[in-house]
Amino acid sequence: MASSTVRVDLDGKPINQLTICMIGAGGFIGSHLCEKILNETQHKILALDVYNDKIKHLLEPDSLSWAGRIQFHRINIKHDSRLEGLIKMSDLTINLAAICTPADYNTRPLDTIYSNFVDALPVVKYCSENGKRLIHFSTCEVYGKTIGSFLPKDSPLRQDPAYYMLKEDASPCIFGSIEKQRWSYACAKQLIERLVYAEGAENGLEFTIVRPFNWIGPRMDFIPGVDGPSEGVPRVLACFSNALLRREPLKLVDGGESQRTFVYIKDAIEAVLLMIENPSRANGHIFNVGNPNNEVTVRQLAEMMTAVYANVSGEPALEKPTVDVSSKEFYGEGYDDSDKRIPDMTIINRQLGWNPKTSLWDLLDSTLTYQHKTYAEAIKKVMSQPTTS
Ligand SMILES: NC(=O)c1ccc[n+]([C@@H]2O[C@H](COP(=O)([O-])OP(=O)(O)OC[C@H]3O[C@@H](n4cnc5c(N)ncnc54)[C@H](O)[C@@H]3O)[C@@H](O)[C@H]2O)c1
Ligand SMILES: O=c1ccn([C@@H]2O[C@H](COP(=O)(O)OP(=O)(O)O[C@H]3OC[C@@H](O)[C@H](O)[C@H]3O)[C@@H](O)[C@H]2O)c(=O)[nH]1
C-alpha cells in the first residue's frame, strides 16, 4: 500500500507527487514498475501501450487504494496524435516501448530499427520541446562484444577486467559487420542514446538513460503456444521455462558458451524508482543496471534452471536436460552474440547508492515457482490436444 507519510529523496527533501507518462507500460518491465509506483508512492501513471494483459490486475478493481492513479491509453506510438498531449500533461516520460527479442533482430531488422530508433524520435522531440524530463530505456547490448573477445583464447589478458568490464563513460561499442543483422537493435539503441544525449547538450533536455543487463522475473515475455505464438522465440528465460514445462531438453545455442549476468526484476525496479525520485542525481547520466555477482554461461544457466525447476515442480529432471543447436538453425542467418556482459557499478553506486541483492538461485526459485503456478496446467492442456498436420 502507498504510505501516507511524506516520502523524501536521497538528500532528505520531500518528493512531490508526479504524473508519469509511461510508454510500454504493458510490458514486462512496465508492469513491475507500475506495481511498484502504485504500491509505494502517490505518483500518477498515464500507462500507454498496445496491450494491457500484464497490468490488467492494476486496472480493473475500483476499490483498490490506487484507483484513479493509473489510466490506461491503448496507443501505438507509431501513429497516434494523442502522444504529445499526454507527454505535455506529465512531469516525466519513461519510454520502454521497443522490439527487444533477439529472434527479431536478424529476421525483422526493419521493424527492429523503426521501433528502437524512428518510433522513439517523436518522444524525445516532444520532451525536449515541452521542457519535460525523459527516462529512456536503452540496453546493455549497446556495448556489443568485449575487447577481450578479440584476444587469443588463451591470452591471460582475458582475465583482466580492463578487457571485459563494461563502463558507461569509457567502454567502446563493438558491433559485428552489417550482414550480422543481430546488431540492428544495438545500433538503433545506440543512435537514440546519442540523440537523447545531444538534446541534453544542445537544447537542455533533462534525461536519464538506463542500460538494463538481462533483467528477469515473472511476466517476462510469453510461453509459445500458451500466451504467445507457437512458433515465437522469446528471450532465454521464457525459452528455457517453456522447455522445462514441456519436459523437453533446453536448447543451447552454439554450445551455450556466452556469458550473461542476470538481475532480479524487483531489484532492478528499485533502481528505476531511485532515478524517478532523485532527478538531481539522475539527470544527465547513463546507468548500467545489473548484477555483476550473478554471472553464468548460458549452459550453467540451463543447468541451474533444471535443478531449480525439479525442486519447484517435484518432477525429476530429464536424463539429458540439454541439447546443442547451431545459431543458424535456432535464429537463422545474420545472428551473432555478445560474449560476456559484466556491468561496472561505479556510477549507479555513486549517484544513487543502489546495489542488487538477489542471488541467481533465489531469483530463479521465485521466477520458476511463478512459471509453474501460471503455466503448468495450461501446458498440459495444450500438449494433450491432437496436433493438426
Ligand atoms: N528485460 C530486459 O532485460 C531488457 C534488457 C535490455 C533492455 N531492455 C529495454 O527495456 C525496455 C522494456 O523491455 P521489456 O523487457 O519490458 O520488453 P517488453 O517487450 O515486455 O515491453 C515492451 C512494451 O512496449 C510495447 N510497445 C512496443 N512498441 C510499441 C508501440 N509502437 N506503441 C506502444 N507500445 C509499444 C509492447 O507492447 C510491450 O508491452 C525496452 O526498451 C528494452 O529494449 C530490457
Ligand atoms: O533457447 C535459447 C535462447 C537463448 N539462448 C542464448 O541465451 C543467451 C541470452 O539470450 P536472450 O534471448 O536472453 O537475449 P540476449 O541476452 O542475447 O539479449 C537481450 O539482452 C538485453 C536486451 O536488450 C534484450 O532483451 C535482448 O537483446 C544468448 O547467448 C542466446 O543465444 C540459448 O542458448 N537458448
Side-chain angles (χ1 to χ4, degrees):
M1 286 302 116
S3 137
S4 53
T5 54
V6 178
R7 287 175 68 76
V8 291
D9 67 15
L10 291 171
D11 299 305
K13 298 198 186 106
I15 297 166
N16 294 329
Q17 187 189 45
L18 301 169
T19 298
I20 301 170
C21 174
M22 196 188 300
I23 307 169
F28 163 57
I29 295 177
S31 72
H32 286 273
L33 190 53
C34 286
E35 238 171 45
K36 179 91 175 167
I37 289 170
L38 294 174
N39 272 314
E40 295 183 20
T41 79
Q42 289 297 334
H43 307 313
K44 293 184 179 170
I45 305 172
L46 305 177
L48 280 58
D49 207 305
V50 275
Y51 304 111
N52 65 11
D53 313 30
K54 294 183 186 187
I55 52 169
K56 267 219 165 91
H57 61 295
L58 302 174
L59 301 174
E60 277 164 0
D62 283 343
S63 58
L64 291 176
S65 65
W66 56 71
R69 286 201 292 121
I70 182 163
Q71 219 178 64
F72 178 69
H73 298 261
R74 194 176 299 279
I75 282 181
N76 184 336
I77 61 162
K78 271 185 195 300
H79 40 66
D80 201 303
S81 56
R82 289 172 291 172
L83 179 63
E84 184 171 12
L86 290 163
I87 289 177
K88 275 188 181 172
M89 281 166 66
S90 310
D91 304 293
L92 161 70
T93 294
I94 302 180
N95 189 8
L96 295 148
I99 288 179
C100 52
T101 37
D104 292 317
Y105 308 162
N106 59 317
T107 55
R108 298 169 58 204
L110 282 178
D111 288 342
T112 300
I113 293 167
Y114 273 81
S115 169
N116 284 284
F117 179 68
V118 178
D119 300 346
L121 278 176
V123 177
V124 182
K125 182 170 152 253
Y126 296 149
C127 287
S128 190
E129 287 174 355
N130 293 291
K132 300 292 181 180
R133 188 177 168 220
L134 171 67
I135 298 183
H136 185 81
F137 270 71
S138 180
T139 173
C140 58
E141 288 216 11
V142 295
Y143 294 109
K145 300 177 186 232
T146 63
I147 307 172
S149 69
F150 294 90
L151 294 168
K153 280 252 182 292
D154 55 357
S155 166
L157 289 177
R158 278 183 175 243
Q159 309 311 317
D160 179 344
Y163 290 83
Y164 63 75
M165 191 62 86
L166 302 172
K167 292 180 194 258
E168 297 93 328
D169 53 355
S171 298
C173 303
I174 308 175
F175 305 152
S177 65
I178 302 297
E179 307 92 83
K180 298 284 185 197
Q181 295 203 75
R182 155 62 184 253
W183 303 108
S184 58
Y185 168 77
C187 194
K189 285 282 203 195
Q190 188 201 145
L191 190 53
I192 198 77
E193 275 200 23
R194 289 192 185 274
L195 186 101
V196 168
Y197 196 90
E199 280 289 349
E202 290 189 31
N203 294 326
L205 172 69
E206 290 185 2
F207 74 86
T208 301
I209 291 170
V210 187
R211 291 182 178 166
F213 279 63
N214 293 78
W215 300 8
I216 60 174
R219 296 198 291 270
M220 186 169 194
D221 297 337
F222 58 91
I223 295 297
V226 178
D227 55 2
S230 309
E231 300 309 315
V233 181
R235 286 169 284 188
V236 70
L237 174 80
C239 285
F240 285 178
S241 301
N242 185 35
L244 291 165
L245 285 154
R246 290 172 190 268
R247 295 191 62 72
E248 291 170 1
L250 280 57
K251 292 182 178 166
L252 296 179
V253 173
D254 293 339
E257 284 177 15
S258 298
Q259 290 168 293
R260 295 288 187 272
T261 50
F262 293 94
V263 64
Y264 192 35
I265 181 72
K266 291 186 195 293
D267 288 354
I269 288 298
E270 299 259 354
V272 184
L273 189 56
L274 285 167
M275 292 173 207
I276 293 172
E277 296 192 324
N278 291 276
S280 62
R281 288 167 176 255
N283 281 349
H285 287 284
I286 300 176
F287 291 114
N288 286 343
V289 181
N291 188 337
N293 304 318
N294 280 350
E295 191 186 33
V296 278
T297 63
V298 175
R299 181 178 290 279
Q300 288 165 335
L301 175 73
E303 288 163 359
M304 200 185 281
M305 284 182 68
T306 302
V308 171
Y309 193 68
N311 275 350
V312 165
S313 66
E315 291 169 8
L318 296 180
E319 212 166 287
K320 283 201 173 150
T322 60
V323 61
D324 284 355
V325 291
S326 72
S327 53
K328 193 166 172 197
E329 201 183 324
F330 192 79
Y331 289 112
E333 208 67 64
Y335 182 73
D336 199 359
D337 208 353
S338 300
D339 52 302
K340 184 174 175 79
R341 284 182 188 158
I342 304 196
D344 181 274
M345 305 295 288
T346 312
I347 296 183
I348 195 158
N349 275 174
R350 186 188 66 214
Q351 295 301 119
L352 301 172
W354 177 82
N355 278 302
K357 305 180 199 108
T358 314
S359 70
L360 187 55
W361 181 278
D362 287 350
L363 75 85
L364 289 177
D365 188 57
S366 37
T367 305
L368 291 178
T369 301
Y370 170 89
Q371 302 287 57
H372 186 67
K373 277 195 193 142
T374 312
Y375 293 109
E377 286 308 312
I379 287 272
K380 270 187 204 147
K381 257 189 213 152
V382 170
M383 292 183 75
S384 65
Q385 280 161 8
T387 47
T388 45
S389 54

